């Protein structure tokens, strides 16, 4: 019987190697690791991605690398399935992750037998989502309402000039609350209050979501990439 060919790309190299080795111990699988720092060039130049049956892809690679890899896999192979690995830290971002072009989402904390079962499910042509992630997704959709109306809400939201300034410091300089307080010469309590208001007005769960969706809709000024952005309406 032909062995299943699986690729693993994860931000933690040790995690990748351990997972790949564990899956290789299953007689029906052959695994290889793809390093995040050169995964794009590896897929483009070295790996015949169509030879892979499935790619286990870390959903939290920096600088939207996970999205780029997912798109590249889809462009270069009509065969390779995509199973996103979602860590505990990203469970609050399930609405965003659900928009990936993928075949399933797998909670990272599950035992190896669950990983194997998820792979088999996806390779059988079915979609897969760990129960923990499905529950989180439904809860977030319930809080935010329908995705289309949520997107419209983000575009229509009104932030104060100070709230926009705080959001831009988070987005462009990755500053924490204490650093922002020192930069703006205000109290830590004031900054926390601004951040709370930003999350409430954007209808998002955390700072990462706020920045991601503001960038997607070009609601920030001071873009480091040089693209033309507009500010939030007053």
């Amino acid at each position: 019987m032909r062995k299943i060919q699986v690729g693993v790309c994860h931000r933690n190299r040790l995690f990748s190697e351990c997972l790949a080795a564990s899956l290789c111990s299953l007689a029906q699988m052959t695994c290889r690791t793809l390093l995040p720092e050169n995964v794009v060039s590896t897929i483009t130049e070295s790996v015949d991605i169509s030879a892979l049956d499935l790619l286990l892809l870390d959903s939290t690679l920096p600088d939207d690398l996970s999205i780029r890899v997912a798109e590249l896999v889809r462009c270069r192979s009509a065969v390779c399935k995509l199973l996103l690995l979602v860590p505990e830290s990203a469970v609050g971002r399930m609405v965003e992750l659900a928009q990936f072009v993928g075949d399933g989402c797998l909670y990272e904390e599950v035992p190896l037998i669950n990983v194997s079962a998820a792979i088999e499910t996806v390779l059988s042509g079915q979609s897969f989502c760990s129960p923990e992630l499905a529950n989180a997704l439904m809860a977030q959709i319930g809080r935010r309402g329908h995705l289309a109306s949520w997107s419209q809400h983000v575009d229509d939201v009104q932030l104060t000039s100070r709230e926009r300034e705080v959001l831009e410091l988070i987005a462009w300089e990755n500053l924490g609350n204490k650093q922002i307080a020192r930069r703006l010469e205000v109290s830590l309590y004031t900054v926390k209050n601004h951040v709370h208001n930003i999350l409430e007005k954007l209808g998002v769960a955390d700072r990462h979501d706020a920045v991601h969706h503001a960038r997607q809709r070009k609601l920030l000024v001071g873009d480091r990439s040089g693209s033309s952005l507009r500010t939030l309406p007053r």
Side-chain angles (χ1 to χ4, degrees):
M1 179 182 292
R2 175 182 173 275
K3 290 186 177 181
I4 298 170
Q5 304 294 314
V6 176
V8 181
C9 181
H10 195 274
R11 64 193 178 282
N12 185 312
R13 184 169 183 172
L14 180 59
F15 180 95
S16 292
E17 293 174 349
C18 289
L19 179 57
S22 298
L23 290 174
C24 281
S25 68
L26 303 174
Q28 73 273 26
M29 293 188 190
T30 299
C31 298
R32 62 168 299 167
T33 58
L34 304 177
L35 300 179
E37 57 266 29
N38 55 21
V39 62
V40 172
S41 60
T42 298
I43 292 176
T44 304
E45 301 169 7
S46 306
V47 174
D48 180 4
I49 195 67
S50 62
L52 290 180
D53 296 298
L54 181 140
L55 176 63
L56 283 164
L57 176 64
D58 185 348
S59 61
T60 60
L61 297 179
D63 301 322
D64 290 330
L65 181 57
S66 301
I67 297 175
R68 291 169 55 203
V69 172
E71 292 175 345
L72 184 60
V73 170
R74 286 302 183 214
C75 288
R76 297 181 67 87
S77 175
V79 177
C80 184
K81 301 291 186 180
L82 193 63
L83 186 56
L84 299 177
L85 294 168
V86 182
E88 173 68 30
S89 61
V91 170
R93 296 169 49 207
M94 280 308 299
V95 169
E96 172 194 340
L97 297 179
Q99 298 176 68
F100 265 85
V101 184
D103 300 287
C105 295
L106 176 65
Y107 188 45
E108 269 190 16
E109 310 300 323
V110 298
L112 180 63
I113 188 66
N114 295 52
V115 179
S116 177
I119 291 174
E120 291 177 3
T121 297
V122 169
L123 290 179
S124 72
Q126 303 177 62
S127 298
F128 178 87
C129 186
S130 296
E132 301 89 343
L133 303 181
N135 292 339
L137 175 61
M138 294 306 296
Q140 289 163 42
I141 291 177
R143 287 197 301 270
R144 296 168 175 176
H146 191 275
L147 288 179
S149 62
W150 176 46
S151 297
Q152 183 62 45
H153 169 71
V154 173
D155 287 339
D156 292 342
V157 71
Q158 295 186 1
L159 298 183
T160 67
S161 58
R162 182 62 96 180
E163 287 165 357
R164 289 200 300 272
E165 188 174 13
V166 169
L167 182 57
E168 287 158 11
L169 288 173
I170 295 171
W172 304 131
E173 299 186 42
N174 196 30
L175 298 187
N177 289 347
K178 291 182 179 179
Q179 294 169 305
I180 294 172
R182 286 195 294 269
R183 175 73 63 85
L184 301 181
E185 298 181 341
V186 297
S187 70
L188 180 59
Y189 172 83
T190 298
V191 174
K192 288 182 178 179
N193 190 50
H194 287 319
V195 172
H196 173 77
N197 290 340
I198 290 167
L199 300 186
E200 285 290 313
K201 290 180 179 181
L202 295 181
V204 295
D206 56 37
R207 297 154 69 104
H208 181 280
D209 274 350
V211 170
H212 179 78
H213 292 288
R215 281 175 173 164
Q216 276 194 327
R217 291 165 181 80
K218 300 183 178 180
L219 303 176
L220 294 170
V221 297
D223 180 21
R224 300 301 187 262
S225 67
S227 62
S228 176
L229 298 182
R230 61 182 175 85
T231 61
L232 284 164
R234 293 182 182 276

